[in-house]
Amino acid sequence: MEQPFEIWMHRLLQISIDLHNRMAEIQKLREMVRSAEAAQCGQELIHPAHIVQPVGDELGI
């Protein structure tokens, strides 16, 4: 028989896995919505990772 700590750890691990899977699903849905919105507006989809972020002096530091 499992100890209470092991039972709780197993439950927490399962919750963590479920949350991770749901977040991945949400991210896919967000990408689909953005693609659909861009297509509807006739725009090219720009992935957020491709947007250049200002560095150094451009930040006004």
Side-chain angles (χ1 to χ4, degrees), residues 19-50:
L19 285 172
H20 183 267
N21 290 340
R22 299 245 177 166
M23 291 300 293
E25 185 177 344
I26 289 169
Q27 186 61 35
K28 287 178 188 176
L29 290 171
R30 285 180 177 158
E31 292 294 328
M32 290 172 60
V33 168
R34 284 188 20 231
S35 294
E37 288 174 343
Q40 186 177 23
C41 295
Q43 299 173 348
E44 182 180 338
L45 180 64
I46 299 174
H47 193 278
H50 296 158

Side-chain angles (χ1 to χ4, degrees), residues 1-10:
M1 186 169 155
E2 286 185 281
Q3 299 296 321
F5 175 77
E6 292 171 345
I7 293 170
W8 280 107
M9 284 303 292
H10 178 74

